[in-house]
């Protein structure tokens, strides 16, 4: 049985605090090093106990931040002080990119095993960066708390006590998130236990699992030079005429014009040159083509199946790996071995049921390899390869669109890089099946099909579909989580006012009036919103300053909410002109002194630095509810939420 120990450090200028607890145990261990207390020996003894008991320490960015400090303590126990921790903290923060820094301790050198929830969830990716405070909102925690003090000030004894309380709150929230990630950790442990993967697997993201598995299948020597230097194919320009499959042809002039446009394009790998894009009117809707794919959709329409028409959605099974395998595409430096290994992934995955560990690993390998083929740090990097997949893939989808458009009475509802949704006369279903099978034979790809009883579509990224077996597919603004698994991979989303998608669904699918639908929603967290304060700004509700992460709801008895942004320069001084060297600016300032405008260094309009105040939820009043108990049902301003729901009404 795994022994998880959740921990967190607070490293202030004159106070170092270690808080931790075993998962499921209510007892919390706190160790402090400060002018008032030195529990270094006790902490070292406790860490020794964790090491000897086989515990795994779990944290949030602990691999990148907390553990390097603990490692320093374990290796230099007699000289480690709160100032040591503070100085190392400053160095780490000053050098790291989120979750990744030069102070990381290689996993084989870690004295106590580490599990980092940031890494498992890939929050160290810039596109998925998520703070523990944002997670507290997403998890609907009773209390959302930010660090109460500037780490660069000397704390008083009372402030140290408050810091400890804050740290304990953080580990309780980390433990809560650990509970939601246990299945991810169990999955990784099975990979280790079965010998499927080795290394720091407990801290691998899904993408990392997929790519490492495929590297193992290909052979590390095939993918890397001297162990860690990735083999790559470097290119400056990709000419599309050289990568488009000769078998791609069209029967109609307007479709062929798209093909000819693609053949004239090129993609410049480096620099600020924009990627090519095209808009074309085809099959009665606007198609938008780009390097990464295609999308098209009707807008603001409702479709329903009946005795005469059916709604069918078809998409390519495992689109990106499938296109590569069917056409023999590969990163040049990896050669045909890549195609053979990639094809074997598909064959192997078919042998495992959905839900099994190996089925999941093989799926991750297929998708992860494609994603990393455009990553200049990856051993799969060849910028031609992903273009081969996406350009040919979307042109083949367009071939299917053209073929289906000849079917009498068929309407294209939407199309994207891997699929199409249509409204089809039932009497012509046999024609649809013929075209589909012909396309599968010609492309070597497999289509998966779902029938819908209704579809409410605002645009290509926002819609609700109800399948004939009653399953609801929600997309974009209409999506909300229902089961725990719905959060997997999307914890970085903003879960503000989930009452809106819930209410619009009741309105569209069941005909419930909007105001009634909102009052059917009885979970107060569904009415709460989140605001993350930008750096250098302060949020106020009324005249009360708020923490950086603000959870609130719109209230009939609340106060205005505003953001006050601090200027880049000193308030009241003339604004500095752009593109000035500091040495020149400082020289002129030394000559003229403060409060004097000079054309050489100041803006021409003689504007001055001032605070900029911006209203949040302009025209409405709010109440801050970082403590959930402040929420009051009696003053919820349903008018605000009703207006938000009205924005999602379709078909009017």
């Amino acid at each position: 049985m795994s022994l998880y120990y959740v921990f967190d450090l607070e490293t202030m200028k004159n106070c170092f605090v270690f808080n931790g607890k075993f998962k499921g145990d209510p007892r919390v261990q706190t160790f402090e090093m400060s002018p008032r207390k030195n529990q270094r020996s006790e902490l070292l003894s406790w860490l020794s106990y964790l090491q000897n008991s086989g515990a795994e320490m779990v944290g949030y960015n602990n691999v990148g931040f907390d553990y390097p400090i603990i490692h320093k303590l374990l290796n230099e126990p007699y000289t480690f002080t709160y100032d040591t921790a503070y100085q190392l903290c400053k160095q780490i923060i000053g050098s790291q990119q989120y979750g990744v820094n030069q102070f990381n301790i290689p996993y084989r050198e870690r004295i106590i095993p580490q599990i980092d929830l940031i890494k498992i969830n890939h929050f160290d990716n810039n596109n998925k960066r998520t703070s523990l405070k944002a997670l507290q909102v997403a998890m609907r925690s009773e209390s959302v708390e930010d660090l109460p003090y500037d780490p660069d000030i000397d704390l008083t004894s009372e402030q140290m006590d408050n810091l400890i309380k804050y740290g304990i709150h953080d580990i309780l929230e980390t433990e809560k998130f650990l509970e939601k990630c246990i299945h991810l950790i169990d999955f990784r442990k099975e990979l280790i236990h079965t010998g499927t993967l080795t290394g720091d697997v407990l801290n691998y993201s899904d993408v990392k699992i997929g790519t490492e598995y495929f590297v193992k299948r290909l052979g590390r020597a095939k993918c890397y030079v001297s162990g860690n230097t990735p083999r790559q194919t470097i290119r400056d320009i990709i000419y599309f005429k050289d990568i488009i499959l000769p078998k791609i042809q069209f029967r109609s002039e307007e479709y062929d014009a798209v093909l000819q446009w693609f053949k004239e394009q090129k993609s410049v790998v480096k620099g600020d040159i924009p990627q090519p894009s095209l808009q074309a009117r085809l099959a009665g809707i606007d198609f938008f083509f780009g390097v990464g794919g295609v999308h098209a959709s009707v807008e603001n329409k409702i479709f329903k199946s009946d005795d005469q028409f059916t709604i069918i959605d078809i998409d390519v099974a495992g689109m990106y790996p499938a296109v590569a395998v069917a056409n023999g595409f590969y990163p040049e430096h990896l050669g045909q071995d890549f195609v053979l290994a990639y094809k074997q992934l598909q064959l192997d995955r078919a042998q495992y049921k959905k839900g099994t560990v190996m089925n999941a690993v093989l799926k991750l390998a297929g998708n992860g390899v494609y994603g990393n083929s455009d990553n200049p740090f990856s051993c799969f990097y060849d910028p031609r390869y992903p273009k081969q997949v996406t350009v040919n893939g979307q042109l083949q989808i367009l071939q299917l669109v053209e073929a289906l458009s000849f079917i009498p009475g068929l309407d294209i509802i939407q199309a994207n890089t891997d699929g199409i949704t249509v409204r089809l006369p039932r009497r012509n279903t046999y024609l649809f099946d013929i075209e589909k099978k012909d396309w599968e034979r010609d492309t070597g790809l497999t289509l998966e099909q779902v029938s819908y009883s209704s579809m409410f579509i605002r645009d290509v990224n926002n819609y609700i579909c109800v399948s004939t077996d009653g399953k609801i597919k929600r997309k974009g603004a209409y999506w909300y989580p229902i089961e725990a698994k719905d959060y997997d991979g999307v914890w970085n989303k903003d879960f503000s006012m989930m009452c809106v998608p819930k209410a619009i669904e009741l309105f569209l699918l069941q005909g419930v009036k909007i105001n009634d639908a909102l009052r059917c929603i009885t979970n107060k967290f569904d009415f709460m919103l989140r605001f993350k304060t930008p750096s250098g700004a302060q949020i106020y509700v009324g005249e009360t300053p708020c923490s950086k992460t603000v959870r609130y709801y719109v209230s009939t008895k609340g106060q205005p909410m505003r953001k006050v942004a601090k200027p880049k320069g000193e308030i009241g001084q003339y604004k500095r002109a752009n593109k000035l060297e500091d040495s020149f600016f400082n020289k002129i300032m030394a000559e003229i002194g403060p409060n004097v405008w000079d054309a050489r260094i100041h803006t021409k309009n003689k504007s001055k630095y001032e605070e900029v105040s911006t209203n949040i939820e302009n025209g409405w009043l709010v109440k801050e509810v970082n403590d959930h108990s402040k929420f009051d049902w009696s003053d919820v301003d349903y008018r605000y939420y009703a207006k938000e729901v009205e924005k999602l009404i379709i078909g009017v």
Side-chain angles (χ1 to χ4, degrees), residues 532-575:
K532 181 182 178 182
T533 308
S535 178
Q538 175 67 60
I539 295 297
Y540 293 86
V541 174
E543 298 303 317
T544 303
C546 300
S547 59
K548 290 183 178 179
T549 301
V550 187
R551 185 168 64 183
Y552 65 97
Y553 72 101
V554 181
S555 162
T556 58
K557 299 178 182 177
Q559 295 177 298
M561 182 177 178
R562 59 194 173 94
K563 176 186 72 176
V564 177
K566 296 179 180 179
K568 295 180 179 179
E570 184 180 345
I571 294 175
Q573 295 296 313
Y574 288 105
K575 288 185 178 179

Side-chain angles (χ1 to χ4, degrees), residues 374-635:
D374 214 15
N375 176 359
F377 301 101
S378 170
C379 64
F380 301 110
Y381 180 67
D382 178 351
R384 183 188 67 177
Y385 170 75
K387 307 298 186 298
Q388 285 180 302
V389 172
T390 56
V391 169
N392 286 290
Q394 63 184 296
L395 287 172
Q396 289 179 316
I397 286 291
L398 190 61
Q399 285 183 296
L400 182 57
V401 169
E402 182 190 40
L404 296 178
S405 69
F406 289 121
I407 298 176
L410 180 144
D411 293 318
I412 302 293
I413 297 176
Q414 66 172 8
N416 53 44
T417 308
D418 66 352
I420 305 169
T421 309
V422 304
R423 179 176 178 266
L424 171 69
R426 292 185 184 275
R427 68 179 183 276
N428 291 331
T429 301
Y430 75 100
L431 294 173
F432 180 85
D433 292 338
I434 290 172
E435 295 292 357
K436 188 176 70 168
K437 289 178 181 177
D438 285 348
W439 185 86
E440 288 179 318
R441 183 193 63 244
D442 293 341
T443 61
L445 304 174
T446 301
L447 291 167
E448 297 177 330
Q449 180 170 316
V450 177
S451 295
Y452 294 133
S453 59
S454 59
M455 186 171 188
F456 303 80
I457 182 164
R458 189 176 78 175
D459 53 55
V460 70
N461 295 315
N462 300 278
Y463 56 82
I464 302 178
C465 301
V466 182
S467 65
T468 52
D469 61 2
K471 293 181 180 178
I472 301 175
K473 180 180 179 180
R474 306 169 180 89
K475 183 81 170 179
Y478 300 87
W479 178 89
Y480 62 89
I482 298 176
E483 303 177 275
K485 65 179 182 180
D486 295 337
Y487 288 90
D488 284 352
V490 296
W491 281 107
N492 56 301
K493 287 175 67 74
D494 184 352
F495 293 89
S496 291
M497 54 178 177
M498 288 288 103
C499 62
V500 171
K502 291 182 178 182
I504 192 63
E505 184 174 308
L506 289 172
F507 174 81
L508 293 174
L509 302 190
Q510 300 183 36
V512 180
K513 293 180 179 179
I514 290 175
N515 286 326
D516 293 338
L518 285 168
R519 284 168 173 78
C520 288
I521 299 167
T522 57
N523 191 322
K524 62 185 176 183
F525 290 101
D526 284 330
F527 290 85
M528 297 181 187
L529 300 91
R530 185 195 83 192
F531 188 88
K532 181 182 178 182
T533 308
S535 178
Q538 175 67 60
I539 295 297
Y540 293 86
V541 174
E543 298 303 317
T544 303
C546 300
S547 59
K548 290 183 178 179
T549 301
V550 187
R551 185 168 64 183
Y552 65 97
Y553 72 101
V554 181
S555 162
T556 58
K557 299 178 182 177
Q559 295 177 298
M561 182 177 178
R562 59 194 173 94
K563 176 186 72 176
V564 177
K566 296 179 180 179
K568 295 180 179 179
E570 184 180 345
I571 294 175
Q573 295 296 313
Y574 288 105
K575 288 185 178 179
R576 175 174 168 169
N578 294 326
K579 300 179 181 179
L580 291 180
E581 294 288 339
D582 287 344
S583 57
F584 177 73
F585 177 81
N586 293 332
K587 176 184 176 182
I588 303 302
M589 282 297 297
E591 292 177 9
I592 64 176
N595 300 315
V596 177
W597 179 83
D598 190 297
R600 294 172 294 176
I601 59 172
H602 294 128
T603 56
K604 293 181 180 179
N605 61 3
K606 299 185 179 181
S607 57
K608 294 184 176 182
Y609 290 111
E610 58 185 15
E611 286 188 339
V612 178
S613 181
T614 306
N615 291 328
I616 309 298
E617 307 298 355
N618 191 29
W620 302 93
L621 305 178
V622 311
K623 279 189 176 179
E624 177 264 316
V625 282
N626 278 12
D627 178 350
H628 80 112
S629 64
K630 296 179 183 178
F631 185 92
D632 186 348
W633 281 107
S634 68
D635 63 16

Side-chain angles (χ1 to χ4, degrees), residues 263-311:
K263 288 182 177 180
E264 296 170 359
Q265 305 309 308
K266 63 183 179 182
S267 176
V268 179
V269 177
K270 295 182 180 180
D272 297 327
I273 299 175
Q275 297 291 343
S277 61
L278 172 70
Q279 178 179 346
R281 186 79 175 176
L282 303 167
I285 56 177
D286 290 326
F287 279 71
F288 298 87
F289 299 91
V291 174
V294 60
H295 68 268
S297 177
V298 302
E299 294 186 358
N300 194 33
K301 286 192 175 183
I302 298 173
F303 297 89
K304 294 190 177 182
S305 293
D306 53 29
D307 293 341
Q308 292 185 318
F309 290 91
T310 182
I311 303 168

